[in-house]
Amino acid sequence: MSQVLPAEGGLRRIIGDGESRPDGEVEGLGPEQLLALFRDLVLLRTYDERSVIYHRQGRIGTYAIFWNHEAMQAGSVFALEERDWVFPSYRDSAIGLLRGMPASTVLSWWRGHPAGWWNPEDYNVASICVPIATQIPHAVGFAWGSRLKGEDRVAIVNFGDGATSEGSFHEGATFAGVMKAPVVLFCNNNQWAISTPLSAQTAAPTLADKAIGYGMPGLRVDGGDVLAVYEATREAVARARAGDGPTFIEAVTYRVAPHATADDPSLYIDEERAREERENECVGRYERYLRRLGVLTEEQAAAIRAEALELMRVGIAQAEAEPPADVSLVFEHAYANPPPTLAIDLDELRRILG
Amino acid sequence: MSQVLPAEGGLRRIIGDGESRPDGEVEGLGPEQLLALFRDLVLLRTYDERSVIYHRQGRIGTYAIFWNHEAMQAGSVFALEERDWVFPSYRDSAIGLLRGMPASTVLSWWRGHPAGWWNPEDYNVASICVPIATQIPHAVGFAWGSRLKGEDRVAIVNFGDGATSEGSFHEGATFAGVMKAPVVLFCNNNQWAISTPLSAQTAAPTLADKAIGYGMPGLRVDGGDVLAVYEATREAVARARAGDGPTFIEAVTYRVAPHATADDPSLYIDEERAREERENECVGRYERYLRRLGVLTEEQAAAIRAEALELMRVGIAQAEAEPPADVSLVFEHAYANPPPTLAIDLDELRRILG
Amino acid sequence: MKELMLVDAVNDALHVEMERDPSVLVMGEDVGRLGGVFRATAGLQDRFGAERCIDTPLAEAGIIGTAVGLCMAGWRPVCEMQYDAFSYPALDQLINHVGRYRWRTRGKMSFPLVIRMPYGGSVRAPELHDDSPETYYVHTPGVKVAIPSTPADAKGLLAAAIRDPDPVVVLEPKLIYRLARGDVPEGEHVVPLGKARVVREGSDVTIVAYGAMVGVAQRVAVSLVGDASCEVLDLRSLKPLDEDSLLASVAKTGHAVVVQEAPRVCGFASEVAAILAEKAIFDLRGPVLRVTGYDVPYPYWQLEDAYVPSEARVADAVRRVLAA
Amino acid sequence: MKELMLVDAVNDALHVEMERDPSVLVMGEDVGRLGGVFRATAGLQDRFGAERCIDTPLAEAGIIGTAVGLCMAGWRPVCEMQYDAFSYPALDQLINHVGRYRWRTRGKMSFPLVIRMPYGGSVRAPELHDDSPETYYVHTPGVKVAIPSTPADAKGLLAAAIRDPDPVVVLEPKLIYRLARGDVPEGEHVVPLGKARVVREGSDVTIVAYGAMVGVAQRVAVSLVGDASCEVLDLRSLKPLDEDSLLASVAKTGHAVVVQEAPRVCGFASEVAAILAEKAIFDLRGPVLRVTGYDVPYPYWQLEDAYVPSEARVADAVRRVLAA
Ligand SMILES: Cc1ncc(C[n+]2csc(CCOP(=O)(O)OP(=O)(O)O)c2C)c(N)n1
Ligand SMILES: Cc1ncc(C[n+]2csc(CCOP(=O)(O)OP(=O)(O)O)c2C)c(N)n1
Ligand SMILES: [Mg+2]
Ligand SMILES: [Mg+2]
């Protein structure tokens, strides 16, 4: 029976508020790494803000905004080795950028173009998962299977608060505990599932309280504090690597943007609470921390932003330069050995399309 | 956010061991009730033992044995009012007997005869549920719906330790917590799911530890102690009636009989542990308790057994006297307004059967 | 009569039926405060309260599973699945319980629940917002399936589904939620299940369709005027199925083309073709052609127009059956 | 060659393939210590260890969901679903991931998992131990489906499924697990997917069947000798389907009867009939009749013989197609 710490009550924090609450530090993170983390945050933030604009311009389709989720994405991935795998939810569509995936790839996904479908093995990033919570068993199976093969690979799976209500979460977490899979179940608790508040999702005191039911530790961290997210994930990854099994991390934040470009949160969200959160959004919070620490200058920050913007300019240009997809792609890749009917269907389709 | 007691560690017990551990008493249970409870236990035990014989004699089909589960079934149902509903698993097939259902009905179910399919409203006992854990959302919906209608009805749902791994358990429990449904989730933890031990089912320290993840209290009780089961259930039912929502009860026992008549436990079970448990089986344990209390005499016990045996004799006779099912029953009852094809199919079938 | 978009006709039906029968409730993800991601349930929570228009946890099997229990408590739940492909977690409850429970009680208890969802493609959406799952539902015993193609039918079929004592799955073609506009009777309006609609009379070939494919069939029929006289039949309800109208039409035309968005193998078009091969074999003067989605995953949207049956593909099939 | 029962041929295939390929593992409920409730996996845990023959938690969606991840880690999982009707909780993973993931990676990653399960009725079992779920599987893009009717095919088709780079569902007719005995090649034995088997030659009518219905068809063919010359075709694999053998046989006989245990609407018999209505319409000299389970819940076992296609019903259908 695995040793279980009771889930934490308070939220782990490192970054102070510049006033009463003092700044902390993460052992082992030097200036370069602190800057690298800032670069990651800016990259994701820029991707997100540009995407909303591209959507308005009709250059990409519906888009799931992740503004103010960057600290959870960047902080958790920063705690991984390159060989570790990430299993993103649709909310984490751009997480591959942190692994060197071109922006054009993710933009193409949102443009409904085949160039948006990558080979997970190229980045150790699984496909964007649209059905809520269903990627959790995938991550668990991958982690368990890697361990069986004697490979030192950890998997992290990102999902939301709403996802914890799905049977897929439960069955994935159950397997993770039993198989002692080296996996991190990373929950972004932004307190909303589209228009459904956490209070309508579960009666559990905290989401981390679910962890003990799977025999794994449950950590709670401020999801807007990239350093706290990093440190908690690092701890979970170390536990996984040591063969001590899975960890559930609840990162608490608040969704301040619409669920997606098609959504109108004014119908349900607490604007007051959202305004507060916006003023304390995760990228600015970290930037102010670095300034206080004297690790980041105006110029560096500006340069990093410019770099990210440039990357997006290139990205959208490349995405828009993609040649139209050939109809053969309707049939290709569905099977390694397709049933004979598919080739006949393609021929007929070509004949009709002329 | 509902008040949550942390799940209990030790097991609740009332019945002593006749030696070091003294007997307790349940407040409010007088001699009649104590005897009534004994009658229930004997009735179920007799049903079970006769069924195994009937199976060997080829008078019923495969049968899921519940020997030594009687205390959990009888103790929990004894804590309900007639108007409260029971949602049994296939392991609890005879639980309707405690609500006045004729033995012939349950025997007919195991004989694959339509007479075994009852109207739940006649006994406030739902249909026997074969797919594991899938009856849990039914019980939750029923309890929630009854409350919405302003009806004072509690639901109890019985399931096993293995069932707690299913998504249906998780989603049902999640709804129960959120809707504050007046439902009792009663888990018979007999430590086996066919040949799968609890250790391969979950890494949770105890099953009761799952309760906090749904914002409900988790109680742990000795499943072989009918009085402890009764008292814990009474507490949970009171909470439900008071509008304070669901409770999870883990009743811990050990499966000493084969999973079902077709099963060969010698391939996996711990015979040593099983022998111990058999010596401490729940009906005998309660009988010895009543003797020590001086509430039950040899004669009474014999009479109660004879009564139960007679009821089974009548039951099997009635079940075997059922006329063969008419083929029209293949089509009836599937729809209230059947598609027209069904009548045509029946005519054709009658023509062919001649 | 007032002119409504299809999605508003759905909303109208829900208002009218909840008004009419206090045991009807609506439940699903985001159906309450938000009024549904397509606004199909807008206004219901304000009108009937949060206890009869319920925002549920994000758990489809839990929604359908608790709905079974709600039926046992005397409710008539109308469950929304947010999208077609997100209804699959509930298939287990649907197959093993929704379709079987009435039978289990030997007809003593009814399970008048409704499962409604937007379905179908061509909406330029991310993966898994485009499925046509009717086969999974119509193959399941004990469950009925209706699919409207007009605002009036969207209201009338949903009303019929809500009043029906059996479980009914209503698939709403999301592509035309706002594209289809039409006159809808005000107040109570019921379109009985199991009655197909002859959308257009013709003498050479019967084009059988449902949902968003009815519009495609109609446009093909128009485009072929002169070359071929096409009868367009909108099935409206797959189970019960109006076999009489189907057979009558094919007896007249002698030719049939069946259109569906779903993959071909074991799709409903195959069922229609099989019925014709059994009951209209001597009326058929040519092959029965199925124009369907392909037996591959529904593609990224830049290619979806090549996947979903197009006017060109349907017209080509019509020409081929007539040429054969 | 040695004579084996069908279930032992399954067990033999698992031993041979696990021996041959160290990346093959077996997982499911009670497959390890117990060797499966039908003993199909007996001996595997002793032979290959608890890490390659895994007793999983009681969670079907978890089994198939983690199997997807196991594929990504380089394994070839063979998942047992304990019974047909208990595979439904995993349909969501099957439809939304198993059948789509390879496509999602643009063919770069393979998902060579196998889902095998006992299926079908007539075994005098309690409710929900009798389903024939092939439609749910065969309608799903990206997934292949094989169904053996003999011990040799049970071994050979399972071996083919395990070696196939695509996901394959293998449905094993539990009724004949121990009733069907026959010679089975020892060691490696592969029966390619997509090749039907002419069980018996005939000239008047083709009886198309698979699984336990092949035996029924054979017995009917024998019983009708003199009245009608029946060709019996065992499809063996529903996807890929051997259309050539099907069409060749019907081109010869001009008549077809298709038999399945599953409910009729959108069953595979409908698919076969639809293919004939499209590609053999001018060969057909009578209606295509489907003899199937009915569109109602599979009944309690005292009535199951009236539900499952019987020799009498199949023979009656043969007479009717020839009389038409
Ligand atoms: C199985 C399934 N059901 C429903 C949906 C529709 N849907 C998309 S996002 C969403 C809310 C998810 O909330 P949460 O898990 O908290 O993640 P967040 O969006 O807040 O990051 C829903 C219901 C889906 N994608 N998958
Ligand atoms: C969904 C589902 N999967 C598998 C089965 C087959 N099965 C019948 S009983 C059983 C074990 C159940 O174990 P548990 O929940 O502990 O209940 P117990 O039998 O011990 O009372 C299994 C796997 C089933 N009935 N339903
Ligand atoms: Mg959320
Ligand atoms: Mg058990």
Side-chain angles (χ1 to χ4, degrees), chain A residues 69 91 160-162 188-194 255:
Chain A
H69 290 63
R91 175 79 62 208
D161 46 310
N188 98 58
N189 175 7
N190 62 13
Q191 305 185 49
W192 292 94
I194 305 185
R255 209 193 75 216

PDB file of all heavy atoms in Angstrom, chain A residues 69 91 160-162 188-194 255, ligand 3:
ATOM      1  N   HIS A  69      -3.203  30.902 -18.361  1.00  0.00           N
ATOM      2  CA  HIS A  69      -2.900  29.498 -18.055  1.00  0.00           C
ATOM      3  C   HIS A  69      -1.421  29.201 -18.344  1.00  0.00           C
ATOM      4  O   HIS A  69      -0.949  28.096 -18.097  1.00  0.00           O
ATOM      5  CB  HIS A  69      -3.758  28.554 -18.896  1.00  0.00           C
ATOM      6  CG  HIS A  69      -5.210  28.550 -18.520  1.00  0.00           C
ATOM      7  ND1 HIS A  69      -6.004  29.661 -18.622  1.00  0.00           N
ATOM      8  CD2 HIS A  69      -6.011  27.566 -18.045  1.00  0.00           C
ATOM      9  CE1 HIS A  69      -7.228  29.356 -18.239  1.00  0.00           C
ATOM     10  NE2 HIS A  69      -7.268  28.092 -17.880  1.00  0.00           N
ATOM     11  N   ARG A  91      -6.990  22.698 -24.370  1.00  0.00           N
ATOM     12  CA  ARG A  91      -6.669  24.007 -23.787  1.00  0.00           C
ATOM     13  C   ARG A  91      -5.173  24.285 -23.852  1.00  0.00           C
ATOM     14  O   ARG A  91      -4.738  25.425 -23.768  1.00  0.00           O
ATOM     15  CB  ARG A  91      -7.163  24.053 -22.334  1.00  0.00           C
ATOM     16  CG  ARG A  91      -6.818  25.291 -21.536  1.00  0.00           C
ATOM     17  CD  ARG A  91      -7.703  26.470 -21.829  1.00  0.00           C
ATOM     18  NE  ARG A  91      -9.089  26.224 -21.500  1.00  0.00           N
ATOM     19  CZ  ARG A  91     -10.104  26.839 -22.125  1.00  0.00           C
ATOM     20  NH1 ARG A  91      -9.881  27.701 -23.098  1.00  0.00           N
ATOM     21  NH2 ARG A  91     -11.349  26.568 -21.789  1.00  0.00           N
ATOM     22  N   GLY A 160      -8.451  19.817 -17.055  1.00  0.00           N
ATOM     23  CA  GLY A 160      -9.072  20.864 -16.261  1.00  0.00           C
ATOM     24  C   GLY A 160      -9.868  20.362 -15.076  1.00  0.00           C
ATOM     25  O   GLY A 160      -9.957  19.148 -14.842  1.00  0.00           O
ATOM     26  N   ASP A 161     -10.461  21.278 -14.350  1.00  0.00           N
ATOM     27  CA  ASP A 161     -11.271  20.915 -13.184  1.00  0.00           C
ATOM     28  C   ASP A 161     -12.487  20.101 -13.607  1.00  0.00           C
ATOM     29  O   ASP A 161     -12.829  19.093 -12.984  1.00  0.00           O
ATOM     30  CB  ASP A 161     -11.700  22.163 -12.406  1.00  0.00           C
ATOM     31  CG  ASP A 161     -12.221  23.278 -13.287  1.00  0.00           C
ATOM     32  OD1 ASP A 161     -11.546  23.636 -14.276  1.00  0.00           O
ATOM     33  OD2 ASP A 161     -13.329  23.791 -13.021  1.00  0.00           O
ATOM     34  N   GLY A 162     -13.120  20.494 -14.696  1.00  0.00           N
ATOM     35  CA  GLY A 162     -14.291  19.752 -15.163  1.00  0.00           C
ATOM     36  C   GLY A 162     -13.946  18.316 -15.507  1.00  0.00           C
ATOM     37  O   GLY A 162     -14.740  17.395 -15.289  1.00  0.00           O
ATOM     38  N   ASN A 188      -5.455  21.796 -14.196  1.00  0.00           N
ATOM     39  CA  ASN A 188      -5.592  23.244 -14.151  1.00  0.00           C
ATOM     40  C   ASN A 188      -6.999  23.525 -13.637  1.00  0.00           C
ATOM     41  O   ASN A 188      -7.984  23.326 -14.324  1.00  0.00           O
ATOM     42  CB  ASN A 188      -5.333  23.858 -15.536  1.00  0.00           C
ATOM     43  CG  ASN A 188      -6.588  24.172 -16.324  1.00  0.00           C
ATOM     44  OD1 ASN A 188      -7.464  24.937 -15.887  1.00  0.00           O
ATOM     45  ND2 ASN A 188      -6.714  23.543 -17.479  1.00  0.00           N
ATOM     46  N   ASN A 189      -7.082  23.928 -12.395  1.00  0.00           N
ATOM     47  CA  ASN A 189      -8.386  24.255 -11.820  1.00  0.00           C
ATOM     48  C   ASN A 189      -8.647  25.744 -12.022  1.00  0.00           C
ATOM     49  O   ASN A 189      -8.329  26.568 -11.175  1.00  0.00           O
ATOM     50  CB  ASN A 189      -8.422  23.895 -10.336  1.00  0.00           C
ATOM     51  CG  ASN A 189      -9.732  24.355  -9.691  1.00  0.00           C
ATOM     52  OD1 ASN A 189     -10.644  24.818 -10.369  1.00  0.00           O
ATOM     53  ND2 ASN A 189      -9.810  24.228  -8.372  1.00  0.00           N
ATOM     54  N   ASN A 190      -9.221  26.053 -13.176  1.00  0.00           N
ATOM     55  CA  ASN A 190      -9.548  27.462 -13.457  1.00  0.00           C
ATOM     56  C   ASN A 190     -10.983  27.761 -13.023  1.00  0.00           C
ATOM     57  O   ASN A 190     -11.543  28.795 -13.356  1.00  0.00           O
ATOM     58  CB  ASN A 190      -9.316  27.795 -14.931  1.00  0.00           C
ATOM     59  CG  ASN A 190     -10.210  26.978 -15.844  1.00  0.00           C
ATOM     60  OD1 ASN A 190     -11.172  26.340 -15.396  1.00  0.00           O
ATOM     61  ND2 ASN A 190      -9.895  26.980 -17.130  1.00  0.00           N
ATOM     62  N   GLN A 191     -11.553  26.799 -12.315  1.00  0.00           N
ATOM     63  CA  GLN A 191     -12.836  26.966 -11.639  1.00  0.00           C
ATOM     64  C   GLN A 191     -14.054  27.057 -12.554  1.00  0.00           C
ATOM     65  O   GLN A 191     -15.178  27.310 -12.094  1.00  0.00           O
ATOM     66  CB  GLN A 191     -12.776  28.152 -10.668  1.00  0.00           C
ATOM     67  CG  GLN A 191     -11.604  27.950  -9.703  1.00  0.00           C
ATOM     68  CD  GLN A 191     -11.518  28.995  -8.633  1.00  0.00           C
ATOM     69  OE1 GLN A 191     -12.507  29.292  -7.971  1.00  0.00           O
ATOM     70  NE2 GLN A 191     -10.329  29.556  -8.465  1.00  0.00           N
ATOM     71  N   TRP A 192     -13.839  26.844 -13.841  1.00  0.00           N
ATOM     72  CA  TRP A 192     -14.950  26.823 -14.781  1.00  0.00           C
ATOM     73  C   TRP A 192     -14.774  25.718 -15.806  1.00  0.00           C
ATOM     74  O   TRP A 192     -13.657  25.458 -16.256  1.00  0.00           O
ATOM     75  CB  TRP A 192     -15.067  28.165 -15.523  1.00  0.00           C
ATOM     76  CG  TRP A 192     -15.475  29.285 -14.633  1.00  0.00           C
ATOM     77  CD1 TRP A 192     -14.636  30.157 -13.991  1.00  0.00           C
ATOM     78  CD2 TRP A 192     -16.811  29.634 -14.247  1.00  0.00           C
ATOM     79  NE1 TRP A 192     -15.379  31.033 -13.232  1.00  0.00           N
ATOM     80  CE2 TRP A 192     -16.707  30.747 -13.376  1.00  0.00           C
ATOM     81  CE3 TRP A 192     -18.076  29.119 -14.550  1.00  0.00           C
ATOM     82  CZ2 TRP A 192     -17.830  31.342 -12.798  1.00  0.00           C
ATOM     83  CZ3 TRP A 192     -19.192  29.719 -13.988  1.00  0.00           C
ATOM     84  CH2 TRP A 192     -19.064  30.826 -13.114  1.00  0.00           C
ATOM     85  N   ALA A 193     -15.858  25.096 -16.162  1.00  0.00           N
ATOM     86  CA  ALA A 193     -15.930  24.201 -17.312  1.00  0.00           C
ATOM     87  C   ALA A 193     -16.952  24.877 -18.237  1.00  0.00           C
ATOM     88  O   ALA A 193     -18.149  24.802 -17.981  1.00  0.00           O
ATOM     89  CB  ALA A 193     -16.404  22.819 -16.914  1.00  0.00           C
ATOM     90  N   ILE A 194     -16.446  25.598 -19.207  1.00  0.00           N
ATOM     91  CA  ILE A 194     -17.284  26.519 -19.981  1.00  0.00           C
ATOM     92  C   ILE A 194     -18.044  27.371 -18.975  1.00  0.00           C
ATOM     93  O   ILE A 194     -17.427  28.174 -18.276  1.00  0.00           O
ATOM     94  CB  ILE A 194     -18.200  25.782 -20.987  1.00  0.00           C
ATOM     95  CG1 ILE A 194     -17.348  24.871 -21.921  1.00  0.00           C
ATOM     96  CG2 ILE A 194     -18.954  26.808 -21.852  1.00  0.00           C
ATOM     97  CD1 ILE A 194     -18.126  24.196 -23.031  1.00  0.00           C
ATOM     98  N   ARG A 255     -10.351  31.389 -14.660  1.00  0.00           N
ATOM     99  CA  ARG A 255     -10.410  31.634 -16.099  1.00  0.00           C
ATOM    100  C   ARG A 255     -10.926  33.044 -16.345  1.00  0.00           C
ATOM    101  O   ARG A 255     -12.074  33.344 -16.015  1.00  0.00           O
ATOM    102  CB  ARG A 255     -11.310  30.606 -16.788  1.00  0.00           C
ATOM    103  CG  ARG A 255     -10.905  30.339 -18.240  1.00  0.00           C
ATOM    104  CD  ARG A 255     -11.982  29.578 -18.999  1.00  0.00           C
ATOM    105  NE  ARG A 255     -13.091  30.463 -19.327  1.00  0.00           N
ATOM    106  CZ  ARG A 255     -14.365  30.081 -19.329  1.00  0.00           C
ATOM    107  NH1 ARG A 255     -14.698  28.854 -19.009  1.00  0.00           N
ATOM    108  NH2 ARG A 255     -15.306  30.960 -19.636  1.00  0.00           N
TER     109      ARG A 255
HETATM  110 MG    MG E   3     -11.831  24.485 -16.046  1.00  0.00          MG
END
